[in-house]
Amino acid sequence: MRTTVGIIGGGPAGLLLGRLLDNAGIDNMVLERRDRAYVEQRQRAGILEQQTADTLRAAGAGARMDREGLVHHGIELRFDRGAHRVDFPSLTGGRGVVVYAQTEVVKDLIALRLADGGPLCFDAEVRAVEGATSDRPVIHYRHEAEDRTLTCDYVVGCDGFHGVAREAVPASVRTTYERDYPYSWLGILAQAAPVYDELVYAHSARGFALASVRSPTVSRLYLQVPNGTDPAAWPDERVWDELDARFALDDDPAWKLERGPVTAKAVLPMRSHVTEPMRHGRLFLAGDAAHIVPPTGAKGLNLAAADVTVLARALIHRRDTGSADLLDAYSDTCLRRVWRAEHFSYLMTTTLHTDPAHSPFDTRLQLAQLARLATSPHAAADLADNYTGLPLPR
């Protein structure tokens, strides 16, 4: 088989890239190693930056998001047993975020692609990428018990940190930057109506907590826990009690979360990772294949969407003008945004979490920074600007 752009990975990055290329009339094929049910149920991010939401709308993939997504105009910071709201529109010129789970983004993009007849191959295990520096790279994959090949003009790896694409970039030409954090998140999904209007980020002596939303009847909640924590060590009642303790307010001692059945529970490690460059010949990396951020800043899915938006524009520019200038600039263009997001995520993570090695001095520094965010419009504007998403380069 042959196509112009071979896309490895049928998550949000790969599917969005396929949609953008379909709309531009550039043929492409998406190969996903998992089945459709798995991909549509894979729990990940749920916060869409303004830029990401606008991209989905422009691509014709935003109708259900606009009907069912929840627009948030700020976040609440809780620290020192007090609450302080950061108002996004007043600080950013009107920007906000949309709460719409990655599972729903993926479902929408899959439905559109199948309806349009675009090639989307589930249960396709990519084994190797060959000839990345040639004019005709080849993807070797196995599907329906047969070994197959896909010859492409370009290959895009949207297959995550453990995927084949990143490993296809020789170790001699790539540099890895990474940081592991000394704590993890215990996340739960619960059939419980949120009792808060916007996301709540809590710093406490007991550790970090986050109250998020999936819908008016479903809550997504997180607790900071030690690395290596077994979810089974946290029965539901213990989770709810600890969440209430970390969100506690002096001026509202009766504030409690709405409790309900816990439908999912997992421990998420916290790490940062960047691979440079994000291009090797005609092989391009996007999303988690190139970079990972801790989830505190809500940047993972949004960085992936920005990557493939930049790449789609570059591929369209190449077709329309014959110029490879934008393709040649792809890695540098994306990495500028990636490192900005890495820094923001690092600051959010280290400011809000209780490090086991922290001294009382370190804790006072955290509280001083949080107090500045609560009282300085300049500091709050910087947080709001990064949280709602920086504009893509024109």
Side-chain angles (χ1 to χ4, degrees), residues 77 84-93 368-386:
L77 298 176
H84 307 271
R85 183 173 182 270
V86 180
D87 183 80
F88 292 157
S90 66
L91 296 165
T92 64
Q369 174 62 14
L370 288 165
R372 176 167 169 75
L373 290 171
T375 58
S376 166
H378 302 292
D382 187 62
L383 186 155
D385 201 35
N386 282 275

Side-chain angles (χ1 to χ4, degrees), residues 45-49 72 74-86 88 97 99 185 196-204 207-214 220-224 243 246-249 255 257 270 294-300 302 344-345 347-353 367 370 373-374 383-384 386-388:
I47 306 297
L48 306 183
E49 294 175 355
H72 282 193
I75 59 172
E76 184 178 294
L77 298 176
R78 292 193 180 185
F79 62 94
D80 225 6
R81 299 178 65 86
H84 307 271
R85 183 173 182 270
V86 180
F88 292 157
V97 297
V99 177
W185 279 7
Y196 39 89
D197 295 326
E198 296 166 333
L199 273 68
V200 182
Y201 288 78
H203 172 284
S204 82
F208 169 76
L210 170 62
S212 184
V213 183
R214 282 296 177 266
R220 183 72 161 154
L221 301 141
Y222 300 94
L223 285 171
Q224 175 188 340
L243 285 165
R246 296 189 190 185
F247 288 120
L249 297 169
W255 195 94
L257 292 165
M270 306 283 285
T296 325
K299 292 295 147 209
N302 294 294
F344 174 69
S345 300
L347 288 177
M348 289 284 285
T349 301
T350 56
T351 299
L352 289 162
H353 289 73
L367 293 173
L370 288 165
L373 290 171
L383 186 155
N386 282 275
Y387 197 98
T388 58

